[in-house]
Amino acid sequence: MKQMKNLLKISLWALLLGGTVACSSDEEPIPSPYATPNHALFVVNGGNFQSGNASLTLYDPAAKTSINEIFRKANGYALGDVAQSMTIHGNTGWIVVNNSGVIYAVDLATMLVKGRIEGLTSPRYICFVSNEKAYVSHMYSNQITIINPRTYAVTGSITCSNMEASTGSTEQMVIDGNYLYVSCWSYQKDILKIDTTTDKVVATLEVGIQPASLHIDRNHKLWTLCDGGWDGNPLGYEAPKLCRINPTTMTIEQEFTFTKGDYFAKVVMNEAKDTLYWIKGGIYALPVQSETLPTSPLITNPEAAFYTMTIDPHTKEIYAADAMDWTQQGIVYRYTPSGVLLDWFYVGVCPENFCWNY
Amino acid sequence: MKKSRLFVWVLQLLLGVSTAYAAEPRLEADSLVDIREVEILGQRPMKEIGVQKTAFDSVILNEHIALSIADVLNFNSSIFVKHYGRATLSTASFRGTSPAHTQVLWNGMKINSPMLGMTDFSMIPACFIDEASLLHGASSVGTTGGGLGGAVLLATRPRTEEGLTLNYVQGVGSFETYDEYLRIGYGNHRWQLSTRVAYASSPNDYKYRNRDKMEYVYDDQMNIIGQYHPTERNRNGAYKDFHLLQEASVRLNNDDRLGLNLWYVGSNRELPLNTTSYADASRIENRQREHTLRSLLSWERMRRNHRLTAKGGYIFSELKYDHRVRMSDDADAVVSTMERSRNYTHTLFAQLQGEWSLGEKWLLTTDLNAYHHRITAKGKEVIGEQGPETLGYRGHRTEWSASATLRWRASRWFGVGLTLREEGYDEEFSPLIPALVADGDLLRNGTLRWRASLTRNYRYPTLNDLYFQPGGNPDLRPEEGWSYDLGIEFQTNKQRHIVAKGSLSWFDSHIDDWILWHPTAMGYYTPENVKKVHSYGLESALQLTARLGRAWQASLDASYAWTPSLNEGEPFSSADQSVGKQLPYQPKHTASAALRIGYRRWALHYKWSYYSKRYTLSSNGSMISGSLDAYSTSDLTLEKRLSLRWCGLSLKGTLHNLFDAEYTTVLSRPMPGLHGQLFLGITPKWGCKRKQ
């Protein structure tokens, strides 16, 4: 019987010990404001799909300092699952979090959330017409959502008749005059032209398989890169091509065709809108007036697998990110405009896009 | 007399009876509450020379009907169970390896998904399993290949009762959870028939504090004046799981036995939204439906000095996954199919096994088995150049494995076994896989024993790794591993009331060409051979069993493991911070304890499980989301049995997560707090008698 009592004693201790771990505090978080420098770079880190570990990095080019997870540190909660892009409009940063179906509006003076738009299907990018109107593109949808940024409300949608909902995809958007231009990427081939006064699709141009990027140059010409799909893609598989489009007539003016199987990670335009840059292993630059493709890269880094990039609007320095094994903090390399490596800094998991505050 | 003793000895040697057969089924309610049958200390079965094995007795497996094998592994072993939620995908990994490195055998037939390589243990009800055991690391090579971490052996066995038996249990619990279990058995000295049916359902909408979100309080001017983490419900988590297990066994003569096992699984589970989702759950369908039939026909001949087994099996699995979103609140709104997959798997299995006792000191075991998989994987429909086309692939492959193991018990101080295994699929051949195991007594009374093993191992890429569209990589190499173990075991004996048994093992293993899926800019994932992993550590286990007179019984099973599992691959670049770091989602420390106390017809079960901090990043970085806190959970079950004239009754109450711990095993996947279940079991007394 004594042994039994000892056993019971041991079990009581075990019970008590068992209860001591994993108790969480019920205290509510206190917001910690962070001011954004006048010239600052945000790195949108997608995180891993379904993991909810997306994050935002704030980099100060003048001080050469970075703060990772600034959204979480300022606001006290997670940014979400697969952050895709960030766009600044006025003093507000709009962060699109794809798999959480939400867009956060953060005050750049504090990095605190001002509001959010939720219940979105699969948002990718946001593009502003005015303080009261913006468009949101989506994957897995044939609709472009119209929102009112002032009230954080969905006010309408544009249905794209050139695609089905399930395989629909609207990706990058640019506005020129009264028109919104949209690249239709996943399982699509078209560039759309939408009248922002009527919210109607007024023209559709088939450019090639999976046009992902979309930029407008200083001559008001559109540039898109069709990634060409992949072997076994029902839509087809072809050599990637870069197209220059006349947005007025919605016709292709020039095509640069690459080699089938070439793999493009990113295409960006500089602030002067006179040079396109892309990642195809190394980083290549193409002045918009050029008639031929560059034969050699501007930057190569045998150590890095560049995944995304941007150009500093002021200094024209080149920032290129490597996600490494996609389950650790990525790294951003900083280069001079001529491609000399300056330094680097670590960001969050899977750096996806950049956004400049300037 | 001498001859008959020798016969019993050979029988024990061949069956390896000591651990696995130790306890009887206990769902019948009119007996004294069993805690644990005390093992009789004796010669270790020849088949287990040098083997590190953790066996789960029927008390553990039958604690209550809502238990899955994932729960059993969680609370009764040191292996890591990764729960994505309650009644949601649960995988298990040994010694810092991945879930696909855990081979799972059901009655000797591998049931890992040939597409994914892993097994969802939340889909296996513990009450459908009569024997479960773990083979750690190198110990698995004598049974199956590909278990770079180890193997989980699950088996059913023929009833031992004669006549008609029936056992029905009904459970009701938190979150409107209902469980039903029925087992009907009929048997005589020749035939044994058993039918088991289980059904579980729940909206599974448990509440949790969502620390990944914030709710704001606004004033009239839309200024934020307050904020708090909302308490939310698990959204889209409902499940309905149906299982049917039909078994028949016939003894043809003294030596031969035929067996048939048919296990059907019909499951309809929603996949919960994660904590960061702002999707409108009423507009979302995120659902997985499964129909799986596993069938196995076996013949076994047991003679004085040999045993032969032949098995033939067929598995059909239909797995449907739909993720659909209604584009607006309107009932007739367009529905977008974000994901849709229809996966059909047919597997044919054949196996021949032989065991020959070559005198008292030698045992030869041979195994020849083959699996033929045919797979149709259909993704969603895309409007292509030729009209609508379905993404996906069709694949088939034949995998085979041949092995021979020779064991020699030179003396009580030394026994050794050498396995040579050759595996392959289609035209691919593995190099010869050797495994060397050895053990022996350290003390004359047999209370202390040493054990050692050394093996090479391989795991082939899964069919999805090779052929998935888009992203499959046909150029993948097999993962390759080396490992060794050293261990000691003790077991006290000749004590009247308390028996203690324990083990301590050191292991060290290297895995090269570890396959990892990663995203691409094309929008899909692709696998590559990227990592080299070194894992090592200690595993320990302790069992205490006490019989204190007729009324009181108690037992304690505890385990602890320390498992550094380090990436020792080549760095991607000088910036790569993952080299030398603990792999993501691999706790360095795991521990479990199960205490059972029985007093007359009362039984108390207390279970505890602990996992240390898990990194979510390969760099073990200091980001807030870069690690998940250590946690422990506890379950408590109280049972009372009643014996009425015409039936036995069992009343159980279980509290899960007794201390209401707020925890997640996986990022953004909350687990429920304190919740409970009640079970009422009934066993009519129809005069059945237990076979002596």
Side-chain angles (χ1 to χ4, degrees):
Chain A
M1 213 48 211
K2 192 179 173 187
Q3 283 163 321
M4 198 63 233
K5 276 181 185 167
N6 285 339
L7 267 173
L8 284 171
K9 261 188 202 170
I10 292 166
S11 61
L12 196 64
W13 275 110
L15 276 164
L16 287 170
L17 275 173
T20 55
V21 189
C23 292
S24 298
S25 154
D26 268 354
E27 283 175 25
E28 294 298 347
I30 299 162
S32 312
Y34 284 82
T36 307
N38 289 333
H39 179 53
L41 173 66
F42 290 101
V43 187
V44 180
N45 306 294
N48 303 115
F49 179 62
Q50 291 284 9
S51 295
N53 62 343
S55 65
L56 192 68
T57 298
L58 173 63
Y59 179 70
D60 182 343
K64 295 188 176 53
T65 55
S66 59
I67 304 171
N68 287 319
E69 295 183 289
I70 191 158
F71 179 94
R72 187 163 204 154
K73 286 171 181 166
N75 294 286
Y77 60 101
L79 177 59
D81 195 20
V82 189
Q84 175 61 31
S85 65
M86 178 173 176
T87 303
I88 290 175
H89 183 71
N91 294 319
T92 305
W94 296 79
I95 310 158
V96 182
V97 191
N98 172 257
N99 204 41
S100 292
V102 70
I103 299 174
Y104 285 110
V106 294
D107 185 343
L108 294 179
T110 61
M111 289 310 293
L112 298 180
V113 169
K114 294 159 68 177
R116 64 173 180 255
I117 304 154
E118 55 187 66
L120 299 166
T121 303
S122 182
R124 300 279 291 179
Y125 292 88
I126 184 167
C127 184
F128 288 82
V129 180
S130 67
N131 291 339
E132 277 79 34
K133 186 174 182 181
Y135 296 105
V136 177
S137 62
H138 291 275
M139 267 185 95
Y140 312 116
S141 170
N142 59 348
Q143 293 182 345
I144 295 167
T145 305
I146 306 167
I147 60 153
N148 184 337
R150 196 181 292 282
T151 59
Y152 311 111
V154 173
T155 55
S157 64
I158 302 167
T159 300
C160 308
S161 58
N162 61 323
M163 59 183 80
E164 282 192 323
S166 302
T167 52
S169 162
T170 49
E171 184 73 357
Q172 294 194 17
M173 299 175 284
V174 291
I175 285 185
D176 194 34
N178 282 336
Y179 295 102
L180 171 80
Y181 300 91
V182 186
S183 61
C184 305
W185 174 47
S186 179
Y187 299 119
Q188 302 300 321
K189 294 180 171 180
D190 300 333
I191 303 291
L192 304 179
K193 182 177 182 178
I194 292 168
D195 187 331
T196 58
T197 57
T198 60
D199 294 330
K200 301 284 185 210
V201 178
V202 292
T204 302
L205 172 66
E206 184 176 316
V207 283
I209 292 173
Q210 300 204 144
S213 64
L214 192 65
H215 299 91
I216 194 151
D217 69 16
R218 63 180 180 179
N219 304 315
H220 297 270
K221 304 292 185 185
L222 290 172
W223 290 83
T224 189
L225 187 118
C226 303
D227 67 25
W230 33 272
D231 195 9
N233 183 2
L235 200 65
Y237 180 39
E238 63 184 24
K241 59 184 178 184
L242 183 66
C243 303
R244 193 180 77 215
I245 299 160
N246 182 329
T248 310
T249 59
M250 284 296 274
T251 52
I252 298 173
E253 289 184 341
Q254 192 170 18
E255 273 188 9
F256 297 100
T257 304
F258 296 89
T259 307
K260 197 171 179 179
D262 277 353
Y263 176 85
F264 289 81
K266 196 77 184 174
V267 182
V268 297
M269 178 79 81
N270 64 350
E271 181 63 15
K273 299 186 186 305
D274 59 6
T275 308
L276 273 176
Y277 294 82
W278 62 79
I279 298 170
K280 186 168 76 79
I283 294 172
Y284 292 78
L286 176 77
V288 294
Q289 73 279 7
S290 177
E291 295 294 320
T292 55
L293 286 173
T295 52
S296 57
L298 174 66
I299 296 171
T300 53
N301 184 340
E303 279 213 311
F306 296 133
Y307 191 66
T308 186
M309 65 174 292
T310 189
I311 312 290
D312 187 323
H314 293 323
T315 66
K316 300 182 179 58
E317 285 166 351
I318 300 163
Y319 290 71
D322 177 6
M324 286 189 279
D325 66 354
W326 304 272
T327 49
Q328 65 179 294
Q329 288 179 257
I331 186 167
V332 172
Y333 295 94
R334 200 164 62 97
Y335 294 89
T336 64
S338 58
V340 178
L341 180 63
L342 293 170
D343 52 21
W344 59 85
F345 54 96
Y346 287 100
V347 292
V349 180
C350 294
E352 194 72 43
N353 270 304
F354 293 94
C355 176
W356 287 97
N357 181 36
Y358 62 98
Chain B
M1 185 63 191
K2 196 178 173 185
K3 199 174 171 183
S4 70
R5 268 169 55 188
L6 180 69
F7 174 72
V8 170
W9 180 82
V10 170
L11 203 68
Q12 279 188 341
L13 178 115
L14 291 170
L15 286 172
V17 288
S18 67
T19 9
Y21 283 68
E24 289 294 315
R26 61 187 292 275
L27 284 170
E28 72 280 5
D30 59 349
S31 62
L32 184 74
V33 174
D34 289 338
I35 291 299
R36 172 185 293 281
E37 295 283 334
V38 180
E39 252 177 61
I40 306 301
L41 187 70
Q43 188 88 335
R44 188 184 177 87
M46 286 277 284
K47 277 188 78 174
E48 293 185 9
I49 287 179
V51 167
Q52 188 187 342
K53 180 176 174 179
T54 304
F56 305 118
D57 62 25
S58 59
V59 179
I60 291 171
L61 295 167
N62 290 322
E63 186 190 322
H64 60 75
I65 59 164
L67 211 62
S68 73
I69 291 295
D71 303 319
V72 170
L73 299 176
N74 187 49
F75 284 112
N76 298 283
S77 76
S78 57
I79 72 175
F80 176 50
V81 180
K82 198 170 167 186
H83 296 286
Y84 285 77
R86 177 176 179 261
T88 310
L89 176 65
S90 300
T91 59
S93 50
F94 286 83
R95 300 178 165 185
T97 59
S98 85
H101 297 147
T102 301
Q103 294 295 327
V104 185
L105 276 73
W106 175 70
N107 288 321
M109 179 167 66
K110 215 182 277 188
I111 58 169
N112 294 59
S113 160
M115 298 178 74
L116 301 168
M118 61 187 188
T119 306
D120 180 0
F121 288 95
S122 76
M123 281 286 195
I124 307 175
C127 55
F128 271 45
I129 302 297
D130 299 320
E131 296 166 10
S133 56
L134 308 178
L135 296 175
H136 300 252
S139 300
S140 68
V141 175
T143 305
T144 181
L148 297 179
V152 177
L153 309 185
L154 306 171
T156 57
R157 64 183 170 116
R159 296 158 64 256
T160 51
E161 298 91 354
E162 290 191 4
L164 182 68
T165 57
L166 186 146
N167 178 230
Y168 173 67
V169 186
Q170 191 169 49
V172 58
S174 307
F175 329 123
E176 295 176 59
T177 302
Y178 298 100
D179 288 273
E180 316 266 346
Y181 173 81
L182 174 70
R183 183 172 188 181
I184 302 174
Y186 177 76
N188 56 31
H189 69 284
R190 193 154 179 253
W191 280 91
Q192 281 293 346
L193 296 169
S194 162
T195 307
R196 288 182 244 199
V197 186
Y199 180 70
S201 68
S202 173
N204 204 17
D205 56 345
Y206 51 86
K207 283 184 180 174
Y208 65 95
R209 187 77 180 278
N210 191 343
R211 295 181 189 275
D212 290 337
K213 282 188 184 174
M214 192 76 81
E215 284 304 317
Y216 294 104
V217 183
Y218 294 89
D219 66 10
D220 295 342
Q221 278 74 46
M222 289 297 283
N223 297 311
I224 293 171
I225 53 171
Q227 56 186 335
Y228 60 94
H229 292 303
T231 296
E232 294 192 342
R233 285 190 177 276
N234 188 42
R235 297 181 299 160
N236 267 67
Y239 64 87
K240 290 176 185 169
D241 292 343
F242 175 78
H243 294 262
L244 172 68
L245 177 61
Q246 177 61 55
E247 294 179 289
S249 165
V250 57
R251 194 179 286 280
L252 301 173
N253 50 47
N254 276 345
D255 301 332
D256 297 87
R257 172 178 269 183
L258 272 181
L260 175 71
N261 314 81
L262 296 169
W263 176 14
Y264 167 76
V265 182
S267 167
N268 187 331
R269 288 183 173 186
E270 291 181 327
L271 305 184
L273 298 175
N274 72 25
T275 51
T276 67
S277 176
Y278 284 92
D280 182 347
S282 66
R283 281 165 38 193
I284 283 185
E285 184 188 32
N286 196 13
R287 186 181 298 278
Q288 177 182 292
R289 287 168 291 166
E290 178 180 349
H291 296 280
T292 295
L293 176 70
R294 299 180 178 102
S295 54
L296 191 65
L297 188 62
S298 57
W299 166 78
E300 186 179 55
R301 164 168 291 175
M302 193 146 55
R303 290 267 167 87
R304 233 183 92 181
N305 58 357
H306 71 267
R307 183 162 97 166
L308 297 173
T309 311
K311 287 180 182 172
Y314 168 68
I315 302 175
F316 168 73
S317 184
E318 176 191 66
L319 199 60
K320 298 176 177 178
Y321 171 61
D322 291 284
H323 183 191
R324 296 189 286 202
V325 180
R326 208 169 66 244
M327 305 293 282
S328 75
D329 290 329
D330 301 335
D332 57 350
V334 173
V335 174
S336 170
T337 302
M338 299 177 82
E339 288 297 334
R340 178 186 191 274
S341 66
R342 299 288 182 271
N343 297 331
Y344 304 92
T345 309
H346 299 267
T347 298
L348 284 169
F349 162 67
Q351 183 180 47
L352 283 173
Q353 278 182 322
E355 291 174 18
W356 288 270
S357 172
L358 312 170
E360 290 185 17
K361 297 195 169 189
W362 294 85
L363 178 69
L364 175 67
T365 311
T366 58
D367 180 12
L368 180 65
N369 66 62
Y371 294 82
H372 178 72
H373 305 291
R374 296 196 85 84
I375 282 166
T376 305
K378 293 181 180 174
K380 70 180 186 183
E381 202 172 68
V382 174
I383 308 298
E385 287 176 310
Q386 317 296 328
E389 281 187 49
T390 304
L391 292 169
Y393 71 93
R394 284 174 190 271
H396 61 86
R397 82 173 175 196
T398 302
E399 300 166 2
W400 57 269
S401 178
S403 73
T405 304
L406 186 62
R407 295 172 176 90
W408 176 44
R409 171 68 68 195
S411 71
R412 66 180 309 158
W413 311 107
F414 183 72
V416 63
L418 174 68
T419 300
L420 294 176
R421 179 176 288 277
E422 179 65 42
E423 295 201 317
Y425 71 86
D426 298 337
E427 276 111 51
E428 301 283 331
F429 285 76
S430 73
L432 198 62
I433 301 169
L436 190 65
V437 293
D439 71 5
D441 286 347
L442 284 168
L443 296 176
R444 185 166 289 279
N445 64 5
T447 55
L448 194 63
R449 196 176 261 151
W450 63 276
R451 147 168 66 67
S453 62
L454 171 69
T455 189
R456 183 183 197 180
N457 211 340
Y458 275 80
R459 190 183 76 91
Y460 289 112
T462 65
L463 287 160
N464 273 8
D465 290 339
L466 296 168
Y467 309 121
F468 192 79
Q469 276 286 8
N473 180 356
D475 300 324
L476 287 174
R477 296 180 298 276
E479 297 172 318
E480 184 181 350
W482 274 101
S483 70
Y484 73 86
D485 300 59
L486 292 170
I488 52 168
E489 295 175 1
F490 76 92
Q491 181 173 346
T492 61
N493 194 16
K494 298 170 186 172
Q495 292 188 24
R496 285 183 65 185
H497 301 303
I498 296 180
V499 176
K501 187 180 166 188
S503 66
L504 181 68
S505 308
W506 167 264
F507 70 90
D508 194 310
S509 73
H510 294 264
I511 300 174
D512 206 354
D513 281 332
W514 184 294
I515 294 168
L516 188 76
W517 284 73
H518 62 79
T520 66
M522 299 293 282
Y524 56 76
Y525 279 62
T526 192
E528 279 187 272
N529 295 98
V530 289
K531 282 199 168 152
K532 194 172 176 181
V533 173
H534 178 206
S535 64
Y536 57 91
L538 288 169
E539 287 175 327
S540 60
L542 176 70
Q543 291 180 356
L544 293 172
T545 310
R547 282 182 178 272
L548 308 166
R550 278 188 57 79
W552 285 94
Q553 301 168 69
S555 74
L556 175 73
D557 281 65
S559 72
Y560 165 75
W562 170 65
T563 318
S565 181
L566 309 175
N567 170 26
E568 292 194 345
E570 289 296 314
F572 287 91
S573 66
S574 54
D576 186 351
Q577 301 182 96
S578 68
V579 177
K581 304 289 174 56
Q582 181 81 356
L583 293 191
Y585 283 111
Q586 298 295 350
K588 261 190 191 167
H589 304 274
T590 59
S592 70
L595 176 72
R596 298 186 287 272
I597 299 170
Y599 175 70
R600 296 190 190 279
R601 295 185 188 278
W602 289 88
L604 180 82
H605 298 234
Y606 172 71
K607 297 181 297 187
W608 174 81
S609 163
Y610 170 81
Y611 294 128
S612 67
K613 179 164 89 170
R614 285 90 57 225
Y615 294 104
T616 65
L617 302 180
S618 62
S619 55
N620 298 178
S622 57
M623 294 181 72
I624 299 165
S625 60
S627 62
L628 292 162
D629 291 340
Y631 69 86
S632 73
T633 53
S634 303
D635 280 16
L636 186 71
T637 300
L638 184 65
E639 177 183 11
K640 167 71 176 160
R641 293 184 175 198
L642 297 167
S643 184
L644 307 180
R645 269 185 63 192
W646 59 276
C647 74
L649 288 177
S650 161
L651 185 65
K652 293 183 195 180
T654 294
L655 290 173
H656 303 282
N657 195 358
L658 189 62
F659 299 102
D660 201 23
E662 194 179 316
Y663 72 103
T664 57
T665 312
V666 179
L667 260 180
S668 310
R669 301 285 168 189
M671 298 296 289
L674 172 67
H675 60 288
Q677 283 175 291
L678 281 173
F679 303 96
L680 177 65
I682 181 165
T683 307
K685 292 178 181 171
W686 289 334
C688 75
K689 55 185 178 185
R690 179 173 293 188
K691 195 175 178 181
Q692 295 302 307

